Amino acid sequence: MIRVVVQDAPIDLAAEHALAEAADAGAVATFTGLVRGDDGVTELALEHYPGATERALERLCEQAVERWTLAKAVIVHRVGPMVPGDRVVFVATTARHRGAALEACAFLIDRLKTGAPFWKRERRGSEARWVEARESDDVAAARWGAAG
């Protein structure tokens, strides 16, 4: 099962984790990304391209399910304005064994940073700026091989 949600509402970790569990699985690996208050960031606003963003995330989940034979792959991503400490993204992978679940979760985290159309704007007080792509994100995504 693949579950992809892009929403402006806060992410309910307990509900999402419960949906990621499967009776025939031995492991659920999860990652929760939070808004950081680095360098005085007071707000992070994410914009996306509806339809295209969900499809890009679904393709990443399909790749993970196939590569690691997952029972489930979940990505819930927020958009809109958020403040430090808010949950931005929840990723979960469910597999028969922990190694597959952990690797697939890392794959999805690394790939969604570069493979889905999101635009970030940081606010520091009254100043706002768009966040440029980071080379470190490209390096992390590249470790999994060519994008499919």
Side-chain angles (χ1 to χ4, degrees), residues 43-140:
E43 178 185 85
L44 175 69
L46 270 82
E47 294 183 13
H48 76 298
Y49 185 14
T53 302
E54 290 86 349
R55 185 64 196 126
L57 295 174
E58 287 168 2
R59 279 194 303 272
L60 292 174
C61 285
E62 289 165 359
Q63 291 171 18
V65 166
E66 183 177 325
R67 186 168 177 175
W68 286 279
T69 316
L70 302 177
K72 296 183 180 181
V74 176
I75 298 175
V76 180
H77 210 298
R78 281 199 59 193
V79 293
M82 292 166 274
V83 298
D86 281 354
R87 298 175 190 124
V88 178
V89 65
F90 173 80
V91 175
T93 54
T94 306
R96 291 190 49 78
H97 301 285
R98 72 177 181 270
L102 290 166
E103 284 187 19
C105 189
F107 166 84
L108 288 175
I109 295 161
D110 289 344
R111 280 292 178 81
L112 74 81
K113 294 280 286 185
T114 59
F118 287 105
W119 296 273
K120 298 179 185 180
R121 187 183 67 241
E122 292 178 338
R123 181 171 297 284
R124 290 174 177 81
S126 62
E127 181 185 318
R129 70 172 184 85
W130 291 101
V131 177
E132 297 292 326
R134 295 184 179 146
E135 184 179 343
S136 60
D137 292 335
D138 291 330
V139 170

Side-chain angles (χ1 to χ4, degrees), residues 8-27:
D8 58 2
I11 298 170
D12 182 338
L13 291 182
E16 294 301 337
H17 193 281
L19 288 171
E21 292 180 352
D24 61 343

